[in-house]
């Protein structure tokens, strides 16, 4: 293996730049040439490659977003699109590819790997919805951004005795919502993984006001419904007045935390080692603080489980 390429795909996440930097520098350390592919699979099909040396990734370890840009591409889902990508890889004399992204990006990566092209995936998404790794790159940063925001909202909520709904990203999963709900001391969390129970929420609100609480926070995972919808339902059915904030894309931005930065650096480096060791069609994971590999398909064949103990802990904290 002489030349490898790296791309970022799907939603950006804090720490992606640290992972790119690590892929580049580990590649150089092993005497490889490294190319960056801009705009994800779209750029791969168009041959949008740039050579990356050690200086190209200087000053990016702490930056959010992705210096390689990211994209979503319908064309890459077609055989024609992937053939175009393979042709670009071959004409650029690329021997291996590192894909940093979420499970959608992995599906594309596996299709490439199935043609015999060496591909290794790195889990980069704030959603943390990928099996085979305890955390994905960006998750810890998004958690901390959400926590900071909710703490600020709590100041104003408590000053006005208000009911607040805070909607957080996470696609179809509730990892972000559950962990930040516990850390922020929220009274209630609404997750896609549990049955939606409006009566139970109303009962919790009622009991909190009875206990003279001066705020009530509902952390809502976007995969359940929008905050505006939950607000309308609580107002219509129970007469509660609620304010809401959608944290949305704020959670994707900002500097990666120390945890995410080092996770990205470890995963980036390990991905190159795995390519050099001849592994193909695998994803990098970090389980119990150890780097490991699993087949890419694990990302969607196995549903990552929420830690429901945290939900129970929330109930205890809200005694
Ligand atoms: P994420 O990687 O964050 O889950 P997406 O689900 O949007 O983000 O996937 C990113 C890109 O991966 C898509 O735009 C598409 O180009 C590619 N992709 C997703 N699913 C497939 C698939 N089944 N086959 C080929 N490529 C796919
Ligand atoms: O997968 C990351 C994520 O930020 C999800 O939390 C969110 O649902 C989605 O991407 C938003 O995607 P887009 O950038 O296409 O609006």
């Amino acid at each position: 293996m002489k030349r490898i390429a790296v791309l970022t795909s799907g939603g950006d996440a804090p720490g992606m730049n640290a992972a790119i930097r690590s892929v580049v520098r580990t590649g150089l350390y092993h005497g490889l040439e490294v190319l960056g592919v801009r705009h994800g699979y779209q750029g791969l099909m168009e041959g949008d490659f740039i050579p990356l040396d050690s200086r190209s990734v200087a000053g990016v370890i702490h930056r959010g977003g992705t210096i390689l840009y990211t994209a979503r591409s319908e064309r890459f889902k077609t055989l024609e699109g992937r053939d175009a990508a393979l042709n670009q890889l071959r004409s650029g004399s690329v021997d291996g590819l590192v894909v940093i992204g979420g499970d959608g990006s992995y599906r594309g990566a596996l299709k490439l790997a199935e043609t015999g092209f060496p591909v290794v995936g790195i889990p980069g998404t704030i959603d943390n919805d990928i099996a085979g790794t305890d955390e994905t790159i960006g998750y810890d940063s998004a958690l901390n951004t959400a926590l900071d925001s909710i703490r600020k909202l709590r100041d104003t909520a408590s000053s006005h005795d208000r009911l607040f709904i805070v909607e957080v990203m996470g696609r179809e999963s509730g990892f972000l919502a559950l962990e930040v709900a516990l850390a922020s001391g929220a009274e209630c969390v609404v997750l896609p993984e549990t049955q939606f129970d409006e009566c139970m929420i109303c009962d919790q609100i009622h009991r909190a006001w009875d206990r003279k609480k001066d705020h009530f926070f509902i952390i809502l995972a976007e995969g359940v419904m929008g905050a505006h919808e939950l607000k309308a339902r609580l107002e219509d059915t129970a007469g509660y007045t609620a304010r809401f904030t959608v944290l949305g894309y704020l959670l994707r931005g900002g500097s990666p935390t120390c945890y995410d930065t080092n996770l990205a650096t470890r995963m980036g480096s390990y991905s190159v080692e795995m390519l050099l060791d001849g592994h193909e069609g695998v994803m990098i994971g970090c389980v119990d603080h150890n780097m490991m590999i699993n087949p890419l398909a694990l990302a969607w064949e196995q549903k990552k489980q929420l830690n429901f103990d945290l939900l129970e802990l929330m109930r205890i904290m809200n005694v």
Side-chain angles (χ1 to χ4, degrees), residues 35-309:
L35 298 180
V37 181
R38 300 200 302 178
H39 303 286
Y41 291 131
Q42 186 187 313
L44 191 60
M45 294 179 294
E46 292 163 3
D48 190 358
F49 300 163
I50 46 164
L52 296 174
D53 60 16
S54 192
R55 291 300 88 206
S56 323
V57 289
V60 306
I61 190 170
H62 61 291
R63 280 174 53 191
T66 160
I67 55 166
L68 290 176
Y69 301 94
T70 183
R72 293 193 164 101
S73 162
E74 284 305 310
R75 186 180 162 212
F76 190 75
K77 292 183 179 172
T78 67
L79 193 57
E80 178 279 321
R82 291 194 299 276
D83 280 347
L86 279 169
N87 285 337
Q88 294 289 358
L89 286 165
R90 286 192 194 108
S91 57
S93 302
V94 179
D95 305 312
L97 177 68
V98 177
V99 171
I100 308 170
D103 64 324
S105 304
Y106 280 11
R107 284 175 198 267
L110 181 59
K111 296 245 169 79
L112 278 186
E114 281 168 351
T115 68
F117 193 86
V119 186
V120 170
I122 295 181
T125 166
I126 62 165
D127 303 335
N128 197 33
D129 56 350
I130 298 183
T133 188
D134 290 343
E135 281 97 20
T136 54
I137 295 170
Y139 176 57
D140 186 63
S141 307
L143 276 177
N144 281 285
T145 301
L147 180 59
D148 187 50
S149 306
I150 296 168
R151 284 177 174 165
K152 289 187 169 115
L153 289 170
R154 190 166 158 167
D155 291 344
T156 172
S158 296
S159 306
H160 288 264
D161 301 278
R162 272 179 177 159
L163 164 56
F164 249 89
I165 302 165
V166 183
E167 181 188 320
V168 298
M169 277 188 166
R171 275 213 177 148
E172 299 304 318
S173 65
F175 292 96
L176 272 169
L178 179 55
E179 270 208 65
V180 81
L182 180 66
S184 62
E187 283 68 31
C188 176
V189 63
V190 182
L191 304 166
E193 290 84 354
T194 55
Q195 185 74 32
F196 179 71
D197 186 344
E198 201 171 325
C199 289
M200 193 180 78
I201 299 172
C202 290
D203 184 54
Q204 286 174 347
I205 299 170
H206 190 73
R207 285 193 303 112
W209 292 156
D210 267 0
R211 281 179 286 140
K212 308 280 179 242
K213 290 205 79 151
D214 61 9
H215 61 262
F216 190 94
F217 269 84
I218 303 174
I219 310 302
L220 170 67
E222 66 170 357
V224 181
M225 67 180 83
H228 61 286
E229 191 186 335
L230 182 57
K231 170 184 152 74
R233 288 174 74 151
L234 293 177
E235 288 183 352
D236 289 350
T237 56
Y240 288 121
T241 305
R243 298 288 196 279
F244 74 88
T245 295
V246 178
L247 294 182
Y249 295 94
L250 273 178
L251 303 185
R252 295 228 300 242
S255 289
T257 56
C258 177
Y259 185 85
D260 269 336
T261 307
N262 287 345
L263 182 68
T265 300
R266 292 179 73 197
M267 286 185 165
S269 192
Y270 198 65
S271 69
V272 177
E273 309 274 355
M274 291 302 99
L275 274 178
L276 286 170
D277 280 357
H279 294 282
E280 311 176 354
V282 295
M283 58 160 279
I284 308 296
C286 184
V287 177
D288 293 335
H289 307 288
N290 296 312
M291 289 291 120
M292 59 166 54
I293 48 171
N294 275 297
L296 280 166
L298 186 84
W300 57 92
E301 284 176 354
Q302 185 178 309
K303 186 158 169 51
K304 188 171 186 176
Q305 294 302 314
L306 275 191
N307 181 356
F308 286 102
D309 290 350

